Amino acid sequence: MRASTATVLLVGLLAPFALAAPTVEKVLAPGGYRANTNLHEIPAGGSLAHVGTDIHIIAANGTVVQKVTAGTPTKVKAAVSPLETGWVAYASWLNTGSSAISSFTTSWKVPPVPTANHGQTVFLFNSIEPNSGTAILQPVLQYGPSAAGGGAFWAVASWYLDSSNTFFTTPVRTTAGTTLNGIITLTSSSGSSFNYNTQFTGISGTSLSITGAAQLTWATETLEAYGVTTISDYPAGSTVFSGINLKLASGAVPSVSWSHVNDAADGLTTTINTNGATNAQVTITY
Ligand SMILES: *[C@@H]1O[C@H](CO)[C@@H](O)[C@H](O)[C@H]1NC(C)=O
């Protein structure tokens, strides 16, 4: 059931504005097009903290450099439109157990750059969201433009989105063939307040910590794309998400069965090669 929720996700945010409303310029983030007024690049070494109804952006030295109003609880994920943009192929698992996910790791290789460039954007990531689907924390590989920058090359950044704010680390360029390790870690928790970090292991500038978040329960391995006009706007071949490991705060390894979503009509498939929470493997074929 949770997977089908994804199909309705950013619908509210994508709804056309009333004619009388001022024009709000939109920019692209993992999760779809968003107002460009709530974009927040996190200073190097900085972090985020949920404090009451605000989110604080904290500099590396501990100074709060900006306080923004957290989004109201509406869904953040992109709808899969008839044009097959948004989350076009993904695998997911929802933790319904009583122990929180304490770590979620995934390795994949940066694909070749697409042979065609029509200004498309391709995002590849593992991600985690609360039950409500109202936020997302994700280490993201990106080709093409987004709110964080980018262009006709691969780059990595960590993102945290709620329904109105888009936070990201400064993108770091990377190249085809590089092995990425995207990790999401529960650093501590107290009651219903959860503290997380995400980063690409060994790539400095990609670490993003957030405190006071909701428990993050829905784990995904995702291909998301915008502005794709032909299959060669995607990289050739396939992306193998491997070394997928999930652990719980209890110390146990959860019993995991991955659901998957394809865009077979456009030639994109998601295959669960190895199920479970220990060295699981998911392949997205373009
Ligand atoms: C802390 O870092 C911020 C952002 O770089 C800077 O504006 C501020 O002056 C620094 N404060 C101290 C006490 O170093």
Side-chain angles (χ1 to χ4, degrees), residues 43-44 58-65:
I58 302 164
N61 64 15
T63 306
V64 175
V65 290

